Amino acid sequence: MTPTPTLTWAELRDLKCAELEGAADGWGKSSNRADAARDRIEQQLLTGLRDTQEGEAAQAAIARLRQLGRNFQYVYTECGLLRTTLNSLAHEMRTQQRALKEALDDAAALKFTVGADGSVTYPAAGEALVDGAPLRGGTATSNGLPGLVPPSGLVAPNPNAAKARDIADRVAGAVRAAAEIDWRYAGILRRLKAEEGLKVPDATWRDAAGDAAAVRDAAGAYLKDAIPHDASPAERRDWWAGLTQEQREEYLAVYPDQIGNLDGIPALIRDAANRDNLRLLIGELESRDDERSATRLAGLREIDRQLGAGTQPPMFLLGIGDEGNGRAIVSYGNPDTAKNVAAYVPGLNTSLDEDFATNDLKRARDTAIGARYHDPSSAAIAWLGYDAPQAIDGLGSAAVALDWRATEGGKSLNEFTAGLSATNENSDPHLTAIGHSYGSRTVGAATQQGDGIPGVDDIVLVGSPGVGVDRAEDLGVGSDHVFVGSAENDVVTTVPSKREVVVGAALRPLAPFGVDAGDIADPGNDDLWFGKDPASEAFGAKRFRVDDGPGLVGPVGPSISAHSQYFDPKRDAASASNIGLIVAGRSSKISSQEYR
């Protein structure tokens, strides 16, 4: 509850907002220095140690440097929050100063006098009803309800009385609003303090997450409302380019979650924002004890570990979030400078967990390495930008049999690739969309929206249960640019069509009489659940060679391993090599496989 204001209108009038902004600049400089120190640790010192030193001493030094880097990251975050808090405070106080100044100027123009307590004295004016003499002047005070004037009865009111009361109400309103602002920001500033000592424990990051949330709430009108969420990726790119350096720094400090996940923002900026938001998410989830949070936390920690360890190609964190089944977009190689960029869309059972952070990220990295072998200017992205269907007790949930998740995911994928096209520095970058499992259905859905997937030249479908269309040419890039990998032992690529399921159930009683439901429901034996089999001749794509994969019954029981090895250069060298060639723009060199 807001306390009774003690601020006077004279104090509000004389408040020097420029001094608040000067203090904000000082905190901003401290934030920038911490960011520069962190960058030097991560980009120079850690890289040099990892590349040149081995042994326990080197590992201990790396661990200490990583901790120091995180400490600087915390300083960067908190100092940035302080800067934005002070700037936002100055911004809101200036608004009330303007309202006060307008009221005082009106009083001066009317030759009214504003008292120290906010009352307004006005002169005689008007005419009395009896003798026509001017009505006496007086003093008006605010009743706390602007615009409410008591009725005058039979006495003609002094016309100055209503004007004076209006001015008094406006003065009181500005002072009351300023006092509330002062009280609110004082609470936020009291929160923004670090624990003593040189180490920043996980508990401190939990506090930092709360600090960021408090500043976001306070600075909504100052910063958040200007973020162009409803704009196109190209318009967002231009918006960011038009900001001053100070404005960019404030957005990164207060809204790393929104800037980091905004398609159209350059990759380097998104990476910096998401690395900061990653630490805040980890701090937030560490305060919870439910199973979902524990699962999500394991995935975030594994991503954080890989970012800290350093990889080749280098990692760029283009998206991270806690909504739905979790969001994570990781690129191996800079997608803004690479001539060839691939976005890999995973399918059934994918969520932000340790499996995604381990296996799905490896698929993107293997793809990037394979493509860079043919063209070093290549990058590959693991794109978990939608809610893929989840399995229940080993059985596919109802969502995997339906299209709506693919349709919603397709919208998000299109916005993402439009962002890649907007920020890529090459005149005509080569983009490839790769859909695996249900992810291929998502890619198919994306091609049917608007003008298709923005910027995409080639489409790769692996382990596909169908894509929602019956012909490769319907995917919008030309049938010669649609490529399919389908292992013979991959059960997902042999699921029956919806018609086969329905007709099979209806005609099952006639099987003893030689009636083959499959021949009736699927005469060409080339239909899958989501349409024509992409590996069939009728579909018309280019089928590339892949390994048959392990059988459905392995040494320890049923196995679906054939569904998950398309990207692995050790388990399926042919498939991984072909995917790498396509991503690198060398699709003419792939090895082909006969249609089913």
Side-chain angles (χ1 to χ4, degrees):
M1 187 173 180
T2 308
T4 303
T6 58
L7 187 71
T8 68
W9 68 261
E11 290 172 330
L12 174 60
R13 178 197 61 191
D14 297 337
L15 177 67
K16 294 179 174 57
C17 290
E19 292 185 359
L20 290 173
E21 292 169 332
D25 289 342
W27 286 108
K29 290 177 182 177
S30 296
S31 178
N32 291 340
R33 290 192 187 103
D35 190 38
R38 176 186 62 171
D39 187 67
R40 183 165 182 266
I41 288 169
E42 293 180 350
Q43 302 301 324
Q44 298 179 35
L45 300 181
L46 278 174
T47 300
L49 268 176
R50 281 193 293 257
D51 291 346
T52 62
Q53 304 296 319
E54 296 181 357
E56 292 185 8
Q59 292 305 311
I62 288 172
R64 293 291 296 275
L65 280 173
R66 287 195 66 191
Q67 181 62 57
L68 182 59
R70 288 186 176 179
N71 290 357
F72 277 123
Q73 182 179 5
Y74 175 75
V75 173
Y76 159 78
T77 298
E78 291 291 294
C79 290
L81 292 176
L82 278 163
R83 172 178 54 187
T84 299
T85 299
L86 292 171
N87 275 333
S88 184
L89 172 59
H91 171 77
E92 292 195 39
M93 283 299 198
R94 270 209 177 94
T95 300
Q96 300 312 317
Q97 281 185 320
R98 284 194 295 268
L100 174 65
K101 183 178 184 301
E102 290 173 359
L104 295 176
D105 288 347
D106 288 348
L110 292 167
K111 299 187 179 345
F112 293 177
T113 301
V114 180
D117 62 351
S119 61
V120 179
T121 301
Y122 55 91
E127 296 180 353
L129 294 177
V130 178
D131 57 8
L135 295 170
R136 288 184 301 172
T139 300
T141 58
S142 174
N143 59 11
L145 298 172
L148 181 61
V149 179
S152 60
L154 297 176
V155 180
N158 183 331
N160 284 333
K163 297 176 183 177
R165 184 177 295 278
D166 174 66
I167 291 172
D169 285 339
R170 288 157 60 194
V171 169
V175 171
R176 188 166 49 248
E180 188 278 330
I181 292 166
D182 178 64
W183 175 79
R184 176 159 42 91
Y185 278 92
I188 294 170
L189 288 168
R190 280 193 293 269
R191 288 188 56 165
L192 294 173
K193 60 181 180 180
E195 295 181 6
E196 294 183 3
L198 297 177
K199 190 172 182 179
V200 181
D202 291 338
T204 302
W205 277 109
R206 290 197 293 272
D207 291 341
D211 293 343
V215 176
R216 280 197 293 267
D217 289 342
Y222 173 61
L223 289 176
K224 182 180 180 181
D225 294 348
I227 300 176
H229 291 289
D230 296 330
S232 69
E235 290 169 335
R236 294 169 185 163
R237 174 202 60 200
D238 296 340
W239 167 77
W240 183 261
L243 296 177
T244 65
Q245 183 60 28
E246 180 179 350
Q247 287 172 323
R248 293 177 185 174
E249 290 167 359
E250 285 198 80
Y251 274 114
L252 288 172
V254 182
Y255 293 106
D257 56 332
Q258 298 194 39
I259 299 302
N261 290 287
L262 199 62
D263 296 318
I265 302 297
L268 287 173
I269 302 300
R270 292 181 71 164
D271 178 63
N274 284 313
R275 287 178 187 239
D276 291 335
N277 190 41
L278 176 63
R279 290 303 314 164
L280 294 176
L281 281 173
I282 289 174
E284 182 180 340
L285 289 173
E286 282 173 339
S287 65
R288 305 175 188 173
D289 58 2
D290 58 285
E291 184 178 352
R292 174 185 176 278
S293 296
T295 299
R296 192 69 42 84
L297 186 58
L300 292 174
R301 282 176 170 161
E302 175 57 22
I303 292 174
D304 185 50
R305 185 197 67 77
Q306 292 183 40
L307 288 168
T311 64
Q312 285 299 327
M315 291 174 68
F316 292 83
L317 190 58
L318 303 182
I320 200 75
D322 191 36
E323 64 267 34
N325 294 328
R327 300 287 186 269
I329 305 172
V330 179
S331 180
Y332 290 89
N334 188 337
D336 287 352
T337 58
K339 295 178 183 177
N340 307 293
V341 182
Y344 149 63
V345 183
L348 174 66
N349 251 9
T350 309
S351 65
L352 181 51
D353 56 15
E354 194 168 6
D355 181 74
F356 170 82
T358 302
N359 295 319
D360 287 284
L361 293 194
K362 181 181 183 299
R363 291 170 184 168
R365 182 168 181 260
D366 285 341
T367 299
I369 292 172
R372 287 160 76 96
Y373 177 80
H374 303 288
D375 186 344
S377 184
S378 299
I381 302 165
W383 183 82
L384 181 57
Y386 79 120
D387 282 332
Q390 302 297 297
I392 301 175
D393 297 328
L395 299 176
S397 67
V400 78
L402 302 175
D403 298 285
W404 63 275
R405 287 190 187 270
T407 301
E408 291 303 309
K411 295 176 184 177
S412 299
L413 178 61
N414 283 346
E415 182 140 321
F416 177 71
T417 60
L420 291 178
S421 297
T423 58
N424 191 280
E425 299 170 6
N426 296 282
S427 59
D428 186 22
H430 171 244
L431 268 59
T432 303
I434 304 174
H436 175 237
S437 188
Y438 188 88
S440 68
R441 178 66 188 93
T442 302
V443 169
T447 68
Q448 303 305 297
Q449 300 171 13
D451 295 326
I453 309 179
V456 164
D457 303 286
D458 291 319
I459 291 175
V460 176
L461 310 168
V462 289
S464 176
V467 297
V469 300
D470 289 335
R471 297 179 302 174
E473 62 189 54
D474 294 334
L475 295 178
V477 294
S479 58
D480 287 346
H481 292 273
V482 179
F483 304 89
V484 177
S486 187
E488 290 303 309
N489 291 328
D490 183 353
V491 66
V492 174
T493 67
T494 59
V495 292
S497 68
K498 299 172 188 176
R499 177 176 168 80
E500 282 182 278
V501 172
V502 174
V503 174
L507 298 182
R508 190 173 295 115
L510 299 179
F513 303 98
V515 176
D516 190 327
D519 290 340
I520 296 174
D522 183 12
N525 195 30
D526 54 11
D527 289 335
L528 299 179
W529 187 263
F530 290 118
K532 197 67 67 179
D533 181 357
S536 69
E537 185 174 6
F539 188 78
K542 290 187 173 181
R543 186 182 185 190
F544 57 84
R545 189 165 65 86
V546 305
D547 189 82
D548 288 346
L552 295 178
V553 179
V556 293
S559 170
I560 58 169
S561 296
H563 185 59
S564 60
Q565 66 181 34
Y566 293 101
F567 303 88
D568 194 318
K570 292 183 178 178
R571 294 195 295 163
D572 193 341
S575 177
S577 174
N578 284 323
I579 293 173
L581 283 165
I582 296 165
V583 170
R586 309 289 198 273
S587 59
S588 61
K589 297 183 179 181
I590 64 171
S591 56
S592 300
Q593 188 168 359
E594 292 184 3
Y595 292 118
R596 276 183 174 158

